[in-house]
Amino acid sequence: MTNLTKSRILAFLAIFCWFLLFYTQTNIIIVASCIAFLTYPLFKFIHSKYNMWVSVGIYYFILFLIIVIPLTLIALLVTPQAINGYNTLLLWIDNGLQVPKAYEEVFENVYNWLITIPGFQSSTAEITALIKKTIGQFIQILLTGSLSFAGNTINIAFQIFLIIFLSGLAVVYAPTCKKIAIRVSTLPEECINRFINTLQRAVRSIFLGIFFVAFIQGILTGIGFFIFGVKDAAFWGLIAIICAVIPILGTALIWVPVAITTWVNGSFYSALGIVIWGMIVVAGADNFLRPYCLKTGIKTSIIVLFFSIICSIITFGPIGLLIGPILVAFGVQAVEESDYLLTLHNNAKK
């Protein structure tokens, strides 16, 4: 056995040891790795001016400011409104999901239209019972999820701490990781460098095109709700941030029901304003910013990226928002490197 083979075996062993240590925290590793790819140029800049320990301390401090403080501010802003909404839902359940008079009138008009359709035979009582049952089940799931989220606050805080810690660990040991990648893959160093650059561009595009755009859309949704008099606008803006990352539907899952509710409550012009704001301002930000941000870092069409996100979400869950575009970028670069190495091989034969 040659020393080169032994070196590769030991490199595989190192990877296997780290895998055994963190394989139960796959999602955290993926998020931390993406943050490390995104922030490694910052760490290199800091390290060029200070020694390792000082650089690591400054890096962790900046990461803390970027991640923890905004989350804390959002929690302080939204929690009072979230508690108010939670209590309102509980009161509605205690009252037997009693529908306001205005909603009953709208429902009656819809039913009068439905009975004109041939073959439609359901009574208003049956439809009302079905709607109440569906809404009740949805609210119970929502409340259960909210209690579970609140009860897991310590676990969430620990996961955030672990993501920050592992991100720092990754940037510190980035040269070692690169060295192991070269030994395991036996690819030329310039190929590995191009893969690293590709992943850095892809992660930057994902954070800008998906998460930053979602954040902007949530803020715009909250501003629109505030302008048109929607109660607890900040809370619904936060929910819009979460929904904004969902392909196709996005923030429409929030502003469409809110617009309908506002209209039913008698505020037609406010409802119309919400719809116009959602379609032009909120959706416009998505249609303009997201394709631009994603296309600048990943060399493929926006349609391929769109379907890669949907498929990866179906396969991997929410973390698929990161995995899908990264796999596309990695696959495109792998094809380019394959062509490059084949060209070198053919030229060497001539």
Side-chain angles (χ1 to χ4, degrees), residues 311-327:
C311 293
S312 59
I313 289 175
I314 294 173
T315 304
F316 303 106
I319 198 66
L321 285 167
L322 291 172
I323 296 177
I326 288 174
L327 288 178

Side-chain angles (χ1 to χ4, degrees), residues 105-322:
E105 293 176 357
V106 172
F107 177 73
E108 188 67 29
N109 292 333
V110 172
Y111 176 75
N112 291 334
W113 172 76
L114 288 174
I115 60 178
T116 61
I117 300 175
F120 185 82
Q121 299 177 346
S122 298
S123 65
T124 55
E126 293 175 343
I127 298 175
T128 302
L130 178 62
I131 292 175
K132 284 188 175 183
K133 180 180 178 181
T134 304
I135 293 176
Q137 291 175 345
F138 174 76
I139 292 176
Q140 290 293 348
I141 293 173
L142 181 63
L143 295 178
T144 302
S146 301
L147 290 174
S148 175
F149 179 82
N152 289 331
T153 302
I154 296 178
N155 184 44
I156 292 172
F158 173 74
Q159 290 180 349
I160 293 174
F161 166 78
L162 193 58
I163 288 172
I164 294 175
F165 172 75
L166 291 176
S167 299
L169 200 65
V171 296
V172 169
Y173 286 98
T176 303
C177 294
K178 175 183 173 182
K179 183 168 57 178
I180 291 176
I182 293 173
R183 290 178 184 173
V184 170
S185 65
T186 66
L187 291 173
E189 184 174 355
E190 60 268 23
C191 289
I192 297 297
N193 288 335
R194 285 192 290 269
F195 271 114
I196 292 173
N197 292 332
T198 296
L199 292 177
Q200 286 178 329
R201 291 194 304 269
V203 171
R204 183 170 60 248
S205 297
I206 292 167
F207 273 86
L208 290 176
I210 295 179
F211 299 108
F212 178 72
V213 172
F215 182 74
I216 295 297
Q217 285 187 283
I219 291 178
L220 291 174
T221 302
I223 291 174
F225 287 169
F226 177 78
I227 292 173
F228 297 106
V230 176
K231 188 179 179 182
D232 300 329
F235 172 70
W236 293 114
L238 176 63
I239 301 300
I241 292 176
I242 299 173
C243 292
V245 300
I246 301 175
I248 302 176
L249 301 176
T251 53
L253 289 171
I254 300 300
W255 59 259
V256 169
V258 170
I260 293 174
T261 302
T262 304
W263 171 57
V264 170
N265 286 333
S267 302
F268 172 76
Y269 291 106
S270 294
L272 181 62
I274 292 172
V275 171
I276 295 174
W277 183 273
M279 294 179 64
I280 296 178
V281 178
V282 179
D286 177 60
N287 295 333
F288 175 75
L289 291 176
R290 196 186 303 273
Y292 174 78
C293 293
L294 288 175
K295 278 282 293 178
T296 54
I298 303 175
K299 295 179 288 187
T300 188
S301 68
I302 192 64
I303 296 177
V304 173
L305 288 174
F306 174 76
F307 281 104
S308 72
I309 291 173
I310 293 178
C311 293
S312 59
I313 289 175
I314 294 173
T315 304
F316 303 106
I319 198 66
L321 285 167
L322 291 172

Side-chain angles (χ1 to χ4, degrees), residues 26 33 36 51 54 61 88 94 96 113 125 151 155 162 236 243 257 317 339 348:
T26 306
S33 300
N51 62 45
V54 174
F61 178 72
T88 302
D94 292 339
W113 172 76
N155 184 44
L162 193 58
W236 293 114
C243 292
D339 293 340

